[in-house]
Amino acid sequence: MGAVGGGAVNLFKGVYNSPRGRRFPAGFDAIRREAPKIGGSFAVWGGLFSAFDCTLVALRHKEDPWNPILSGALTGGVLQVRYGFSSAARSAAFGGLLLGLIEGVSIMLNRMTAPLPEQSVSLDTLSEKSTAGSKVENVSDIKPGGSQPASTDTTSRPETGDVWGSAFGAFRQHKGRANAK
């Protein structure tokens, strides 16, 4: 990210500030000249951010969005401390705000792309069960989207849904056959 962004910015600056006929060679020269500075700055920022993030996880015993937000604020503040307290405070506020925006967008995208939860049992399903003459003891006995009680026998069919459910369901089914012999 630092190489691509820094390369593009320095290429543009080199091309813009050079005379005609030397624009692209000067742009590539600017990339070569500035790459160590950008790489070093990016490495220091990333190292401090990771150190603060891991420290906050260890101290708070939580992995939540507040850790990177606070880490961004602390990193921005520490990197500007040499220029004075007011500069460090502004940079810390900007770092926290920037990481807050990044975390907010990340949470929003996760919620938008997450699969929908299973369909819940509606009152219509319950009324169909009661009018059909069968007795429903518990709402959890009804399969979502269906009108018949869920089977509680785990040895007759393997669990379905995901890899682990299928594997453990098959194991339970095999274990049930072995115990029946």
Side-chain angles (χ1 to χ4, degrees), residues 121-180:
V121 177
S122 66
L123 293 177
D124 295 334
T125 308
L126 289 174
S127 65
E128 287 175 13
K129 284 305 270 181
S130 63
T131 58
S134 63
K135 186 176 179 185
V136 177
E137 295 290 329
N138 194 349
V139 174
S140 64
D141 292 341
I142 299 175
K143 290 182 186 176
S147 60
Q148 54 188 350
S151 172
T152 57
D153 181 21
T154 58
T155 59
S156 64
R157 61 176 169 76
E159 296 293 320
T160 58
D162 62 351
V163 174
W164 295 112
S166 298
F168 290 128
F171 176 74
R172 277 185 270 170
Q173 186 177 15
H174 175 71
K175 192 102 161 130
R177 287 184 192 154
N179 289 341

Side-chain angles (χ1 to χ4, degrees), residues 5-164:
V9 165
N10 286 309
L11 177 67
F12 178 76
K13 285 169 75 175
V15 167
Y16 183 76
N17 294 323
S18 298
R20 281 185 194 215
R22 287 275 306 143
R23 291 191 188 259
F24 282 105
F28 290 121
D29 187 43
I31 291 173
R32 189 180 64 241
R33 187 179 56 249
E34 299 296 324
K37 293 177 191 175
I38 292 172
S41 297
F42 198 75
V44 169
W45 198 95
L48 275 175
F49 178 83
S50 295
F52 284 131
D53 194 35
C54 291
T55 302
L56 288 171
V57 168
L59 291 175
R60 296 180 66 230
H61 302 289
K62 287 182 183 179
E63 183 66 47
D64 61 1
W66 286 108
N67 290 340
I69 293 170
L70 293 172
S71 298
L74 289 169
T75 301
V78 165
L79 288 176
Q80 289 297 314
V81 136
R82 61 186 171 184
Y83 296 112
F85 179 75
S86 63
S87 178
R90 278 192 308 271
S91 186
F94 182 75
L97 180 69
L98 181 66
L99 268 293
L101 288 172
I102 291 170
E103 286 296 313
V105 168
S106 174
I107 290 169
M108 181 185 69
L109 287 175
N110 283 339
R111 287 187 179 170
M112 286 175 50
T113 60
L116 295 174
E118 284 193 33
Q119 188 180 19
S120 62
V121 177
S122 66
L123 293 177
D124 295 334
T125 308
L126 289 174
S127 65
E128 287 175 13
K129 284 305 270 181
S130 63
T131 58
S134 63
K135 186 176 179 185
V136 177
E137 295 290 329
N138 194 349
V139 174
S140 64
D141 292 341
I142 299 175
K143 290 182 186 176
S147 60
Q148 54 188 350
S151 172
T152 57
D153 181 21
T154 58
T155 59
S156 64
R157 61 176 169 76
E159 296 293 320
T160 58
D162 62 351
V163 174
W164 295 112

